[in-house]
Amino acid sequence: MAAQTATLSNGVKIPLIGLGTWPGWEPERGAITKSVKAAIDLGYRHIDTAFAYLIEDEVGEAINSKIKEGKIKREDVFVTSKLWQTCMAPEDVRPALLNTLKDLQLDYLDLYLVHKPAPYKKSKDLIPKNDKGEVLFNDDLDHAATWKEMEKLVDDGLVKSIGISNCNHHQVQYYLDNCRIKPVVHQFEIHPYLTSTKLVEYCQSRGIHVTASSPFGSGAPEANPPDPSLMKHPKVVSLAERYKKSTGQILLRFLVQQGISAVPKSVTPSRIKDNIEVFDFTLTDGEMKELKSLNLNWRAHPHLWDRPSRHYPFNEVYD
C-alpha cells in the first residue's frame, strides 16, 4: 500500500506516512539499512533521517541499493534530513548539508529541516559540554542568518524544500518574519497525549505543513511516561478492536486524518507494514474528539539538556 500525499505550499508532494530512522540509544549496526529496504519494498516513499542519528550512511546504502535494483528511481522517494545544532552558524550550514548528501549518496534532498532551535557551539561532539558537564550553547546566533543559508541551498538545487523542527509558535513566526523562502514543513511531537492543537492550527493557517514525530508517544525514560502508555490506553485499544486495526494504526490515522504526516520508526517488517496501512478506514468526528480529549500536554521528548538555552522552545504550554 502506498501512502497518500499532501501538497506543500511550494507544490511539492509529501507522503503522509514516512519511515523514521532514529535508531535509539544503542543501535545495532545494519538494522536501519534493513528497515529502509523493507519499507521501500512495502511501498514507503518517504524516509526521514538526520545527521544526529549517525546512520545516514545506512539510509543511503538502502536507498541506493533499491535504485540499483530498479525498485525505485531517485525521484520516487522523498528524503528528509536535518541540520544539527552544532552546525547552525551560517558558515557551517552548507558543509553540513554536503556531508549529509555524501553519506546518503544523493545529489539533493527533498526536505532539509533545522533540527532544533537551540544552537550549540561548534564541536565534533553531538552535544558539546565543558569540564563541568554543562552544555555549550551559541545563544547569540540569529536564526535568520542560519535561514538565509538554508535558502541558498534551495537556490542552488541542493534541497527542494526547507523547514523547521521542534519550534514554538514564537519561533515559527520569527522564521516567517525573516524569510525569503518560507518554511514549508514544521516537524514536532504530536500524539493524543500531546495534541498540540493550537500549534498545528497556527502552522496550517500559515501554509506550513505539519509532520508528527514520536506519533506513538514513546520516548525518553526521563520524561516520566504516563500510565497507561498510549498504545495501551483503553480508548485506543477499543478503537483498534472496533476497526480490526492495531493501536499504532489508530494513532497514525488520528494524525493523517488531520492532514498531518507522520514518521513512525520501526525496524520490524510487520510493524513497518502495519504503519502504512492506515488509508482504508476513517475515524468518526466523535472518535477524533475522544482521542483529542486524552491530551495531557505530556512530552515524550522534552530535550531537557537544552533547557538552559534562551532558545529552548518548551517553556510554555501553547494549547
Side-chain angles (χ1 to χ4, degrees):
M1 179 182 287
Q4 294 177 5
T5 62
T7 302
L8 304 179
S9 62
N10 61 358
V12 173
K13 293 186 181 300
I14 181 172
L16 286 173
I17 294 292
L19 180 73
T21 61
W22 180 64
W25 302 114
E26 296 180 1
E28 176 189 346
R29 192 68 185 166
I32 296 301
T33 298
K34 292 177 183 176
S35 67
V36 174
K37 286 181 178 179
I40 291 172
D41 287 340
L42 289 165
Y44 280 72
R45 295 298 180 264
H46 178 182
I47 308 297
D48 180 275
T49 191
F51 167 76
Y53 301 167
L54 304 178
I55 43 74
E56 287 184 317
D57 58 331
E58 290 194 46
V59 173
E61 180 184 340
I63 291 171
N64 280 276
S65 72
K66 289 300 172 183
I67 291 173
K68 289 174 183 176
E69 285 177 20
K71 180 72 177 178
I72 54 170
K73 297 177 182 178
R74 169 63 187 95
E75 58 267 28
D76 295 334
V77 60
F78 188 100
V79 182
T80 300
S81 191
K82 307 175 190 78
L83 176 75
W84 187 236
Q85 294 160 274
T86 53
C87 304
M88 289 175 66
E91 66 272 16
D92 295 327
V93 173
R94 182 178 295 258
L97 182 274
L98 293 175
N99 184 66
T100 279
L101 290 176
K102 180 181 177 182
D103 283 346
L104 289 170
Q105 303 174 53
L106 299 177
D107 295 326
Y108 68 91
L109 286 180
D110 297 273
L111 177 63
Y112 199 37
L113 305 176
V114 179
H115 201 149
K116 293 201 287 176
Y120 296 154
K121 294 287 189 183
K122 190 181 304 188
S123 174
K124 293 181 179 178
D125 297 324
L126 274 183
I127 303 179
K129 298 178 181 179
N130 62 20
D131 54 9
K132 296 179 181 178
E134 298 165 330
V135 176
L136 299 172
F137 296 100
N138 183 16
D139 269 353
D140 292 334
L141 182 136
D142 183 358
H143 289 78
T146 303
W147 193 252
K148 281 181 171 56
E149 297 304 314
M150 296 283 284
E151 292 171 329
K152 291 177 184 177
L153 301 178
V154 178
D155 295 337
D156 293 342
L158 294 171
V159 301
K160 290 192 172 183
S161 304
I162 49 178
I164 54 180
S165 183
N166 298 303
C167 291
N168 60 39
H169 73 289
H170 300 295
Q171 293 164 332
V172 173
Q173 193 60 51
Y174 186 79
Y175 278 108
L176 290 173
D177 290 342
N178 291 276
C179 70
R180 175 171 56 85
I181 301 173
K182 82 174 189 179
V184 297
V185 170
H186 185 194
Q187 182 179 131
F188 54 96
E189 182 181 339
I190 315 170
H191 45 74
Y193 280 167
L194 184 69
T195 56
S196 300
T197 301
K198 282 186 68 175
L199 184 55
V200 169
E201 292 174 351
Y202 189 92
C203 291
Q204 290 179 337
S205 69
R206 288 157 176 78
I208 300 174
H209 175 78
V210 174
T211 297
S213 58
S214 304
F216 302 140
S218 54
E222 65 268 21
N224 298 315
D227 185 19
S229 69
L230 260 180
M231 299 284 261
K232 295 180 180 179
H233 194 284
K235 285 188 179 180
V236 180
V237 172
S238 175
L239 288 171
E241 292 171 350
R242 184 178 308 169
Y243 287 98
K244 295 181 171 54
K245 293 289 184 178
S246 70
T247 51
Q249 287 172 315
I250 296 298
L251 295 174
L252 292 172
R253 183 66 209 179
F254 169 74
L255 295 166
V256 300
Q257 202 161 309
Q258 298 178 69
I260 298 169
S261 58
V263 286
K265 74 180 188 71
S266 181
V267 295
T268 306
S270 61
R271 290 177 186 165
I272 294 172
K273 181 175 183 292
D274 281 351
N275 290 344
I276 202 172
E277 295 181 343
V278 296
F279 300 103
D280 57 353
F281 72 106
T282 301
L283 298 171
T284 67
D285 290 345
E287 289 164 347
M288 291 291 288
K289 287 179 182 177
E290 280 186 26
L291 291 173
K292 285 189 176 183
S293 74
L294 302 182
N295 183 48
L296 300 172
N297 289 318
W298 173 80
R299 195 174 297 282
H301 294 277
H303 307 158
L304 296 178
W305 55 89
D306 284 348
R307 184 167 282 173
S309 171
R310 72 181 182 92
H311 297 292
Y312 182 71
F314 307 138
N315 282 322
E316 64 177 87
V317 174
Y318 181 64
D319 206 19

